[in-house]
Amino acid sequence: MRYFDDITIGDRIELGTHTFTADAIKTFAAQYDPQPFHMDEAAAAKSHFGALCASGWHTVAAWMNLRVQYGKREDAERAARGEVIAKLRELKWLKPVYVGDTISYASEIVERRVTKSRPGWGIVFARNTGTNQKGELVLSFIGPGFVERQPGAA
């Protein structure tokens, strides 16, 4: 992980991809979002979506898994170097995620500032996105994160 002072607006990281299967969509929906268009192909075909599609919460959960795994890799790299280890806005589900869709997730820094309440730390805001294999944006939100500043940074 870079220090706060090394992060600039527009920085972007590729988090990885996740492919949604019918079984996974139905399993998630049965537990967390049991609406017909997430659980049954025939009912979904008659809905405004026109086909079985993933819950918006499922698409965020897939992003969260990839973001956490990315963070764990960064933390392990920082620990190996002996370094210290370290409210969503504008949440939008823009398109349904269908069976077989592969979503590419990314985070791009859109805002950064030094914190007044936590000396030695900055806060960054990243626009987090999910884009399907057709290049269509399916998910977008802004999330914050605290980032340690370089030792001695003013």
Side-chain angles (χ1 to χ4, degrees), residues 93-111:
W93 290 296
L94 300 162
K95 295 232 180 232
V97 174
Y98 295 104
V99 173
D101 279 355
T102 298
I103 308 301
S104 297
Y105 295 94
S107 292
E108 179 179 339
I109 304 300
V110 294
E111 183 182 338

Side-chain angles (χ1 to χ4, degrees), residues 40-117:
D40 178 79
E41 284 89 347
K46 295 176 186 174
S47 76
H48 62 286
F49 292 116
L52 187 71
C53 64
S55 165
W57 296 111
H58 192 177
T59 62
V60 171
W63 170 86
M64 187 64 175
N65 178 51
L66 290 170
R67 184 62 182 98
V68 168
Q69 297 307 317
Y70 182 90
K72 285 180 179 180
R73 288 190 303 272
E74 283 187 323
D75 288 348
E77 291 169 7
R78 289 190 336 172
R81 293 190 303 264
E83 297 174 8
V84 178
I85 303 205
K87 177 179 167 182
L88 301 183
R89 297 186 332 218
E90 300 177 31
L91 174 59
K92 297 175 189 171
W93 290 296
L94 300 162
K95 295 232 180 232
V97 174
Y98 295 104
V99 173
D101 279 355
T102 298
I103 308 301
S104 297
Y105 295 94
S107 292
E108 179 179 339
I109 304 300
V110 294
E111 183 182 338
R112 63 189 286 279
R113 66 176 181 260
V114 175
T115 61
K116 294 177 182 166
S117 61

Side-chain angles (χ1 to χ4, degrees), residues 102-154:
T102 298
I103 308 301
S104 297
Y105 295 94
S107 292
E108 179 179 339
I109 304 300
V110 294
E111 183 182 338
R112 63 189 286 279
R113 66 176 181 260
V114 175
T115 61
K116 294 177 182 166
S117 61
R118 292 180 70 179
W121 290 81
I123 187 168
V124 296
F125 294 87
R127 178 170 306 281
N128 302 286
T129 58
T131 305
N132 68 19
Q133 69 278 4
K134 298 175 190 172
E136 300 168 326
L137 197 61
V138 301
L139 166 70
S140 178
F141 66 95
I142 295 175
F146 284 98
V147 182
E148 186 177 13
R149 298 193 71 196
Q150 291 180 357

